[in-house]
């Protein structure tokens, strides 16, 4: 696919088949995605991949963390099961971290560079038919989650990417034309 097609066809995919995603494929995507622009070539990112056996342990620990955070409070058994399913049916979790060192301006640059890298991952995944959902719910930004995935005191979580082969590809969500948001100087 060319760049235009990739951008227009990318969707946030939240439902996946149980077909495994090979680790080598994820690593290949990441090795291309790291060519994202980043100021002074600081390459500020780091990744924590939960796949195969690691994923089993990760999901187990994640559900316990969610339980403790009150995410399941007040849910009926059916609602709880549906919510759990949102986490247990994800084939791969990739936590994307960004360093938090240097001046405020450098930290902003590093965060933006990491966001560019994430979009690279999403577009590359689209190209091979792999689905991605970029998650930013508040539980990913807790000390408990940071401990779970080993975030150091000079790093922050930018997002958690769920990866898998799409079971459902949502329809396009139309965007307003940029022409309506444009002012001539
Ligand atoms: C920074 C960021 C955070 C997001 N966080 C979530 C999230 O926590 N949960 C989720 O389901 N989708 C999340 N998304 C995906 C958006 O909801 C999605 O991009 C939007 O609905 C448009 O759909 P599309 O990506 O299919 O075009 C996030 C996207 C971005 C860029």
């Amino acid at each position: 696919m060319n760049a235009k097609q990739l951008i227009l066809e990318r969707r946030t995919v939240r439902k996946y088949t149980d077909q495994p995603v090979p680790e080598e494929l994820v690593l290949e995507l990441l090795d291309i995605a790291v060519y994202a622009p980043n100021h002074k070539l600081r390459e500020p990112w780091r990744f924590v991949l939960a796949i195969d056996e690691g994923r089993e342990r990760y999901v187990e620990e994640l559900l316990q963390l969610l339980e403790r955070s009150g995410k399941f409070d007040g849910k009926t058994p059916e609602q709880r099961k549906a919510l759990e399913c949102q986490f247990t049916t994800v084939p791969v979790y990739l936590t994307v971290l960004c360093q938090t060192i240097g001046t405020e301006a450098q930290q902003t640059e590093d965060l933006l560079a990491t966001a560019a890298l994430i979009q690279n991952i999403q577009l590359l995944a689209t190209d091979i038919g792999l689905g991605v959902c970029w998650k930013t719910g508040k539980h990913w930004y807790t000390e408990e989650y940071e401990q779970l995935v080993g975030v150091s005191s000079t790093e922050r979580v930018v997002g958690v990417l769920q990866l898998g082969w799409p079971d459902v590809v949502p329809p396009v969500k139309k965007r307003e034309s940029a022409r309506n948001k444009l002012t001539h100087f």
Side-chain angles (χ1 to χ4, degrees), residues 20 38 45 63 66-67 70 73 75 93-94 102 104 106 121 130 135 145 166 168-169 173 181-182:
N38 66 99
W45 38 72
L63 290 176
L66 292 171
E67 176 85 66
D73 290 357
K75 300 274 187 270
Y93 285 91
L94 181 75
E104 202 182 325
Q106 283 168 344
I121 296 174
L130 189 64
K135 302 291 290 270
Y145 184 76
V168 179
V169 178
K173 292 180 185 164
K181 298 187 176 238
L182 179 87

Side-chain angles (χ1 to χ4, degrees), residues 39 42 44 98-99 101 105-115:
H39 202 195
R42 285 196 291 272
C98 171
Q99 69 183 22
I101 51 179
Q106 283 168 344
Q107 292 187 36
T108 302
E109 288 166 358
D110 288 347
L111 180 63
L112 297 172
T114 308

Side-chain angles (χ1 to χ4, degrees), residues 10-12 14 133-137 173 175:
R10 184 205 56 80
R11 299 281 184 284
T12 290
R14 299 181 178 86
C133 181
W134 180 350
K135 302 291 290 270
T136 51
K173 292 180 185 164
R175 308 303 205 255

Side-chain angles (χ1 to χ4, degrees), residues 4 9 20-21 79 91 98 165 169:
K4 183 176 162 183
E9 291 194 14
V21 179
Q79 288 169 331
C98 171
W165 302 107
V169 178

